[in-house]
Amino acid sequence: SQQGEEDPQALSIQEGENATMNCSYKTSINNLQWYRQNSGRGLVHLILIRSNEREKHSGRLRVTLDTSKKSSSLLITASRAADTASYFCATAPSPNRDDKIIFGKGTRLHILP
Amino acid sequence: NAGVTQTPKFQVLKTGQSMTLQCAQDMNHNSMYWYRQDPGMGLRLIYYSASEGTTDKGEVPNGYNVSRLNKREFSLRLESAAPSQTSVYFCASSLDSLNEQFFGPGTRLTVL
């Protein structure tokens, strides 16, 4: 399977600092997606980056994709307490493959006051 | 719009009991999914429905059955619950299999 694997598994930073999470995957993709999950809630989609894109921004979020290294990173700038959550990457397979979107195990982000 | 709704929110079963988890979406999405989430395991796909009338096994289908009742509804059935099925279950939907998924609030199931 082409499971995305996030790194690190857990991250604690001070409020106001930037947080960077990484995702690596194994096979070719159509796109890669990042999701956030607050404790006890369902996942919420944050951003989708297609295989022909290298960088994408959404508010304080910046996502990069390097298909040659099969990796992506999610940067959250100027972190806030409300950013405390788990973050998951999910890889969507290239067309015509019989694979489904697969989620990684997530990075737990804790913003310290 | 309610998005993706799931019922029930909580359930406790005894080993061997059966139950059906309900899921509905009002976004006219073609694809629907059932996941389970266990500590340290991330999300694992149980079953998937690319479109009305079709279903497909995911990573962990054993012990479960699904029904895509119509475009809106996708139910998950446990015929004979086992303690290993204690988990949080999420339903999700998307326009198609490559697009962003929208998740329901989850069902917390405990099997004693």
Side-chain angles (χ1 to χ4, degrees), chain B:
Chain B
N1 289 346
V4 179
T5 58
Q6 290 183 237
T7 56
K9 285 187 169 52
F10 301 93
Q11 184 71 49
V12 178
L13 294 177
K14 294 180 180 178
T15 296
Q17 287 185 316
S18 62
M19 78 161 295
T20 299
L21 281 65
Q22 306 287 353
C23 174
Q25 52 92 7
D26 62 2
M27 295 173 281
N28 203 34
H29 284 167
N30 294 305
S31 300
M32 297 186 74
Y33 315 81
W34 276 106
Y35 295 93
R36 60 178 289 174
Q37 186 175 34
D38 303 294
M41 297 295 292
L43 281 174
R44 292 185 291 171
L45 182 65
I46 305 171
Y47 269 96
Y48 155 76
S49 171
S51 60
E52 184 179 354
T54 68
T55 60
D56 198 4
K57 293 179 181 179
E59 183 184 356
V60 288
N62 291 344
Y64 305 94
N65 284 302
V66 290
S67 295
R68 183 74 183 267
L69 305 169
N70 48 54
K71 193 169 186 179
R72 290 187 64 250
E73 298 172 290
F74 188 38
S75 63
L76 178 71
R77 182 160 178 83
L78 287 71
E79 290 291 351
S80 179
S84 61
Q85 294 178 304
T86 293
S87 188
V88 181
Y89 291 85
F90 289 101
C91 177
S93 72
S94 61
L95 185 61
D96 60 46
S97 62
L98 298 179
N99 273 289
E100 62 180 289
Q101 296 186 13
F102 293 79
F103 283 77
T107 295
R108 278 153 187 76
L109 175 67
T110 301
V111 182
L112 302 174

